[in-house]
Amino acid sequence: MVSSSALKAITGFLYASTVSAQAIGTQQSETHPKMAWKRCTGKGGSSCTNVNGEVVIDANWRWLHVKGGYANCYDGNKWNATACPDNASCTKNCEIEGADYSSTYGITTGSDSLTLKFITKGQYATNIGSRLYLMKDSSNYEMFKLIGNEFTFDVDLSQLPCGLNGALYFVSMPQKGHGTPGAKYGTGYCDAQCARDLKFVDGQANAEGWQPSSNDPNAGVGKKGACCAEMDVWEANSISTALTPHSCQPEGYSVCEDTSYYYGKGMTVDTSKTMTVVTQFIGSGSNLQEIKRFYVQGGKVIANPEPTIPGMTGNSLTQAWCDKEKEIFQEEIYPFNKFGGMASMDPDKPGIARGSCDTSSGVPSDVESNSPNAQVKFSNIKFGPIGSTFAQPASM
Ligand SMILES: *[C@@H]1O[C@H](CO)[C@@H](O)[C@H](O)[C@H]1NC(C)=O
Ligand SMILES: *[C@@H]1O[C@H](CO)[C@@H](O)[C@H](O)[C@H]1NC(C)=O
């Protein structure tokens, strides 16, 4: 995926970390790009105040090398068998580096925006995609309590074609990350699919039993995965979009609207231009009752469309909606594949197809050669109680 700014935490989890010998390298210092966002109160986006935030790139994208030297501990999709014969020695022998955000990873921030490039040709290597987290300060992730609040942002995905996914979502990561590098180095990722493409899990190298990907020279999966609650507010390219809560009982559900008549370049929600995306988490306490989506573009508020599937009505996500959808689509589990940071938005079951992207789009070698200049820009993030971040017409 071009991105995935995991903004963080549905609720805060108390987390006890095991002692980790994971070390920090000294070749490149770590300076987080700054990005402000707004906390809103009151009504209609009129009283919002700036919060000075910063972003950090996930540890998985970082250079991991032999302590005190330059030899790679991990390269492409393989571990160095000498430095990493087992998890424990690997953890001890290797150190993680700071990031040069723009020249190595193609990540830049404006005062309140974040732009992520898909492919960046750096001095030593070509970087593919990235995943960033919003931070409260240099060593803590920002935590959000979603229920009773709304989350709003602008997105420009006009340069994000089929096969790519510019995602923005919340996952319940430990606020301080893991081990010595901690959140400052982007450690601690987890998601609803139990991410297994992680080089480190809970501060330990995931080297033993690592399987390099058969079609991605930059990814693989280890034996251990990291699981946690996830709320996918935004998984999209210029052709398709999905809104997917994963924390529903009993087995998690996956929902997206059929947007083929509605969302795309030149459509009602015009993806050739920047749009504002509003997501409301209606409920109280720990009881989430409904998730509502609006778009704002050209000064107009656009409600989510009603599904075009027979038997389905309503344009927000509720348990009843999910149950009905499940019955119709017979969905079992989350169909999207975030593997290797390269998510495909592709359906593997009827009823999940969105828009006109080919179901085979998303193969790393294809998108890497066809869309070298792809990028996504997120900006103007606002968060606050329902109704505080944008002006919603009374009829909605
Ligand atoms: C693997 O690690 C060893 C040190 O443990 C180092 O000498 C060697 O150069 C590394 N191999 C590669 C291919 O980087
Ligand atoms: C390390 O190695 C063991 C044994 O192969 C494996 O089962 C375990 O999950 C690995 N990963 C981590 C992160 O501990």
Side-chain angles (χ1 to χ4, degrees), residues 347-386:
D348 53 22
K349 293 234 171 95
I352 305 167
R354 311 296 161 203
S356 54
C357 284
D358 193 301
T359 56
S360 67
S361 60
V363 175
S365 56
D366 294 349
V367 281
E368 285 163 29
S369 57
N370 297 340
S371 316
N373 299 317
Q375 64 168 42
V376 63
K377 180 177 182 180
F378 294 106
S379 59
N380 199 19
I381 293 172
K382 295 178 194 167
F383 184 76
I386 306 287

Side-chain angles (χ1 to χ4, degrees), residues 7-27:
L7 281 145
K8 297 267 341 119
I10 292 162
T11 48
F13 281 72
L14 188 64
Y15 191 81
S17 180
T18 52
V19 176
S20 155
Q22 204 182 357
I24 298 166
T26 53
Q27 318 271 0

Side-chain angles (χ1 to χ4, degrees), residues 314-372:
N315 64 352
S316 65
L317 303 180
T318 60
Q319 191 62 55
W321 203 102
C322 294
D323 294 348
K324 188 74 193 170
E325 195 220 34
K326 224 170 182 157
E327 189 187 308
I328 293 172
F329 296 159
Q330 306 194 325
E331 282 176 22
E332 286 137 36
I333 45 165
Y334 186 51
F336 298 102
N337 172 18
K338 265 202 216 80
F339 174 69
M342 169 71 69
S344 122
M345 293 292 294
D346 305 331
D348 53 22
K349 293 234 171 95
I352 305 167
R354 311 296 161 203
S356 54
C357 284
D358 193 301
T359 56
S360 67
S361 60
V363 175
S365 56
D366 294 349
V367 281
E368 285 163 29
S369 57
N370 297 340
S371 316

